[in-house]
Amino acid sequence: IRQQTSHQSTSLDDWKKKYDELEAAKEDLLNQIAEEKKKAAEAESRYQSEIDDWKKRLQELTDAKESLQESLQKQLELAQSQLNETRQELDDWKNKHSALLSERDALQKKFDEQMDKQQETLYLFQAKTEEFENKEKQLNTELSNAKSKQDELEEMKQQLVDDIQSLQDS
Protein backbone atom coordinates (compact mmCIF):
# COMPACT_ATOMS: atom_id res chain seq x y z
CA ILE A 1 0.00 0.00 0.00
CA ARG A 2 2.85 2.25 0.82
CA GLN A 3 4.35 1.67 -2.46
CA GLN A 4 1.09 2.37 -4.15
CA THR A 5 0.53 5.46 -2.04
CA SER A 6 4.05 6.56 -2.72
CA HIS A 7 3.54 5.95 -6.35
CA GLN A 8 0.23 7.82 -6.27
CA SER A 9 1.83 10.62 -4.33
CA THR A 10 4.57 10.87 -6.92
CA SER A 11 2.00 10.69 -9.61
CA LEU A 12 -0.07 13.40 -7.86
CA ASP A 13 3.03 15.57 -7.52
CA ASP A 14 3.77 15.00 -11.18
CA TRP A 15 0.22 15.95 -12.04
CA LYS A 16 0.39 18.95 -9.78
CA LYS A 17 3.68 19.97 -11.35
CA LYS A 18 2.23 19.49 -14.83
CA TYR A 19 -0.85 21.44 -13.76
CA ASP A 20 1.33 24.28 -12.47
CA GLU A 21 3.33 24.21 -15.70
CA LEU A 22 0.10 24.29 -17.71
CA GLU A 23 -1.19 27.13 -15.53
CA ALA A 24 2.09 29.01 -16.08
CA ALA A 25 1.89 28.33 -19.83
CA LYS A 26 -1.75 29.42 -19.77
CA GLU A 27 -0.76 32.60 -17.92
CA ASP A 28 2.03 33.23 -20.47
CA LEU A 29 -0.42 32.68 -23.30
CA LEU A 30 -2.95 35.03 -21.67
CA ASN A 31 -0.19 37.62 -21.22
CA GLN A 32 0.87 37.19 -24.86
CA ILE A 33 -2.76 37.44 -25.96
CA ALA A 34 -3.20 40.59 -23.86
CA GLU A 35 0.02 42.02 -25.33
CA GLU A 36 -1.10 41.16 -28.87
CA LYS A 37 -4.53 42.68 -28.16
CA LYS A 38 -2.79 45.81 -26.90
CA LYS A 39 -0.60 45.95 -30.03
CA ALA A 40 -3.64 45.30 -32.22
CA ALA A 41 -5.55 48.07 -30.44
CA GLU A 42 -2.62 50.46 -30.91
CA ALA A 43 -2.34 49.47 -34.57
CA GLU A 44 -6.10 49.82 -35.00
CA SER A 45 -5.98 53.24 -33.34
CA ARG A 46 -3.06 54.29 -35.55
CA TYR A 47 -4.78 52.96 -38.68
CA GLN A 48 -8.06 54.58 -37.67
CA SER A 49 -6.22 57.88 -37.17
CA GLU A 50 -4.66 57.51 -40.64
CA ILE A 51 -8.06 56.61 -42.10
CA ASP A 52 -9.56 59.69 -40.41
CA ASP A 53 -6.73 61.84 -41.77
CA TRP A 54 -7.29 60.42 -45.27
CA LYS A 55 -11.04 60.99 -44.96
CA LYS A 56 -10.39 64.56 -43.85
CA ARG A 57 -7.96 65.11 -46.75
CA LEU A 58 -10.46 63.54 -49.17
CA GLN A 59 -13.17 65.90 -47.87
CA GLU A 60 -10.82 68.88 -48.26
CA LEU A 61 -10.01 67.81 -51.82
CA THR A 62 -13.70 67.29 -52.57
CA ASP A 63 -14.51 70.73 -51.18
CA ALA A 64 -11.65 72.28 -53.16
CA LYS A 65 -12.84 70.48 -56.31
CA GLU A 66 -16.39 71.76 -55.82
CA SER A 67 -15.12 75.27 -55.14
CA LEU A 68 -12.94 75.13 -58.24
CA GLN A 69 -15.85 73.83 -60.31
CA GLU A 70 -18.04 76.69 -59.08
CA SER A 71 -15.29 79.20 -59.82
CA LEU A 72 -14.72 77.76 -63.29
CA GLN A 73 -18.45 77.75 -63.96
CA LYS A 74 -18.65 81.43 -62.96
CA GLN A 75 -15.62 82.23 -65.15
CA LEU A 76 -17.22 80.34 -68.05
CA GLU A 77 -20.48 82.24 -67.62
CA LEU A 78 -18.57 85.53 -67.44
CA ALA A 79 -16.53 84.63 -70.53
CA GLN A 80 -19.71 83.70 -72.43
CA SER A 81 -21.32 86.97 -71.37
CA GLN A 82 -18.25 88.92 -72.49
CA LEU A 83 -18.21 86.99 -75.76
CA ASN A 84 -21.84 87.90 -76.39
CA GLU A 85 -21.12 91.54 -75.57
CA THR A 86 -18.09 91.48 -77.85
CA ARG A 87 -20.14 89.96 -80.66
CA GLN A 88 -22.76 92.67 -80.20
CA GLU A 89 -20.05 95.35 -80.23
CA LEU A 90 -18.60 93.79 -83.40
CA ASP A 91 -21.99 93.89 -85.07
CA ASP A 92 -22.39 97.51 -83.97
CA TRP A 93 -18.95 98.35 -85.38
CA LYS A 94 -19.78 96.60 -88.64
CA ASN A 95 -22.94 98.71 -88.92
CA LYS A 96 -20.99 101.87 -88.09
CA HIS A 97 -18.33 100.88 -90.60
CA SER A 98 -20.93 100.41 -93.31
CA ALA A 99 -22.51 103.77 -92.48
CA LEU A 100 -19.08 105.41 -92.49
CA LEU A 101 -18.29 103.95 -95.90
CA SER A 102 -21.49 105.43 -97.29
CA GLU A 103 -20.70 108.75 -95.67
CA ARG A 104 -17.13 108.56 -96.99
CA ASP A 105 -18.38 108.04 -100.54
CA ALA A 106 -20.70 111.05 -100.23
CA LEU A 107 -17.88 113.13 -98.75
CA GLN A 108 -15.49 111.98 -101.46
CA LYS A 109 -17.93 113.23 -104.10
CA LYS A 110 -18.25 116.57 -102.28
CA PHE A 111 -14.49 116.71 -101.87
CA ASP A 112 -13.91 116.17 -105.56
CA GLU A 113 -16.32 119.01 -106.35
CA GLN A 114 -14.61 121.26 -103.82
CA MET A 115 -11.19 120.30 -105.19
CA ASP A 116 -12.20 121.49 -108.62
CA LYS A 117 -13.26 124.80 -107.10
CA GLN A 118 -10.14 124.97 -104.96
CA GLN A 119 -7.90 124.36 -107.95
CA GLU A 120 -8.81 127.76 -109.32
CA THR A 121 -8.34 129.33 -105.92
CA LEU A 122 -4.95 127.61 -105.65
CA TYR A 123 -3.66 129.27 -108.80
CA LEU A 124 -4.72 132.65 -107.42
CA PHE A 125 -3.20 131.78 -104.05
CA GLN A 126 0.11 130.79 -105.64
CA ALA A 127 0.27 134.08 -107.47
CA LYS A 128 -0.44 136.00 -104.24
CA THR A 129 2.05 133.86 -102.36
CA GLU A 130 4.76 134.68 -104.87
CA GLU A 131 3.91 138.35 -104.56
CA PHE A 132 4.05 138.14 -100.74
CA GLU A 133 7.36 136.26 -100.86
CA ASN A 134 8.88 139.03 -102.96
CA LYS A 135 7.58 141.62 -100.52
CA GLU A 136 8.90 139.52 -97.63
CA LYS A 137 12.39 139.43 -99.21
CA GLN A 138 12.27 143.17 -99.67
CA LEU A 139 11.12 143.71 -96.05
CA ASN A 140 13.81 141.33 -94.77
CA THR A 141 16.44 143.31 -96.64
CA GLU A 142 15.10 146.57 -95.21
CA LEU A 143 14.97 145.02 -91.76
CA SER A 144 18.55 143.83 -92.08
CA ASN A 145 19.65 147.32 -93.15
CA ALA A 146 17.72 148.83 -90.23
CA LYS A 147 19.39 146.40 -87.80
CA SER A 148 22.79 147.31 -89.16
CA LYS A 149 21.99 151.00 -88.68
CA GLN A 150 20.65 150.27 -85.19
CA ASP A 151 23.88 148.42 -84.35
CA GLU A 152 25.91 151.36 -85.61
CA LEU A 153 23.78 153.75 -83.53
CA GLU A 154 24.22 151.50 -80.48
CA GLU A 155 27.97 151.55 -80.99
CA MET A 156 27.92 155.33 -81.34
CA LYS A 157 25.71 155.64 -78.26
CA GLN A 158 28.08 153.42 -76.29
CA GLN A 159 31.04 155.44 -77.53
CA LEU A 160 29.32 158.65 -76.43
CA VAL A 161 28.48 157.16 -73.03
CA ASP A 162 32.07 156.04 -72.66
CA ASP A 163 33.31 159.50 -73.72
CA ILE A 164 30.95 161.23 -71.26
CA GLN A 165 32.03 158.85 -68.55
CA SER A 166 35.71 159.54 -69.23
CA LEU A 167 35.06 163.33 -69.24
CA GLN A 168 33.25 163.09 -65.95
CA ASP A 169 36.02 161.00 -64.48
CA SER A 170 38.65 163.53 -65.51
Side-chain angles (χ1 to χ4, degrees):
I1 292 179
R2 258 194 194 160
Q3 206 177 13
Q4 199 176 10
T5 307
S6 162
H7 180 61
Q8 284 179 350
S9 174
T10 304
S11 182
L12 185 59
D13 286 341
D14 286 343
W15 281 106
K16 187 176 181 186
K17 186 176 180 185
K18 283 184 183 181
Y19 177 78
D20 288 343
E21 287 174 2
L22 284 175
E23 274 297 314
K26 176 184 163 186
E27 199 58 38
D28 284 345
L29 283 175
L30 289 175
N31 286 339
Q32 286 178 359
I33 290 171
E35 188 66 30
E36 289 300 318
K37 282 183 179 179
K38 183 178 175 184
K39 287 179 184 178
E42 290 173 356
E44 182 181 356
S45 173
R46 187 174 58 248
Y47 292 142
Q48 188 60 46
S49 174
E50 288 179 15
I51 289 171
D52 292 344
D53 288 347
W54 281 107
K55 283 181 180 178
K56 182 179 177 184
R57 180 68 179 137
L58 178 61
Q59 185 61 43
E60 289 172 355
L61 289 173
T62 302
D63 293 346
K65 176 186 150 195
E66 290 172 359
S67 174
L68 181 60
Q69 283 176 332
E70 289 175 10
S71 174
L72 289 174
Q73 184 63 34
K74 287 178 184 175
Q75 289 177 3
L76 176 61
E77 290 169 1
L78 178 63
Q80 287 174 337
S81 173
Q82 290 174 341
L83 177 61
N84 291 337
E85 289 176 13
T86 302
R87 284 181 179 157
Q88 184 60 45
E89 287 178 10
L90 178 61
D91 289 342
D92 292 347
W93 280 107
K94 284 180 182 178
N95 293 337
K96 286 179 183 178
H97 180 258
S98 183
L100 287 173
L101 287 177
S102 297
E103 188 177 341
R104 181 198 67 180
D105 292 342
L107 288 173
Q108 182 67 41
K109 185 177 177 183
K110 251 185 182 179
F111 177 76
D112 290 342
E113 291 170 359
Q114 288 293 326
M115 283 302 293
D116 292 341
K117 290 179 184 177
Q118 293 296 322
Q119 194 66 31
E120 283 182 39
T121 308
L122 180 62
Y123 291 128
L124 293 173
F125 178 75
Q126 286 175 341
K128 287 288 185 185
T129 302
E130 195 174 306
E131 183 182 324
F132 286 134
E133 285 175 353
N134 289 335
K135 284 184 180 180
E136 180 184 19
K137 286 178 186 176
Q138 183 183 1
L139 288 173
N140 282 337
T141 303
E142 289 176 12
L143 178 64
S144 178
N145 290 338
K147 282 185 180 178
S148 295
K149 286 183 179 181
Q150 181 182 3
D151 289 344
E152 286 176 18
L153 289 173
E154 284 293 325
E155 284 180 23
M156 285 176 57
K157 177 182 166 186
Q158 187 61 40
Q159 184 64 37
L160 286 173
V161 167
D162 289 345
D163 288 345
I164 291 171
Q165 186 68 28
S166 71
L167 285 174
Q168 285 177 352
D169 288 342
S170 44

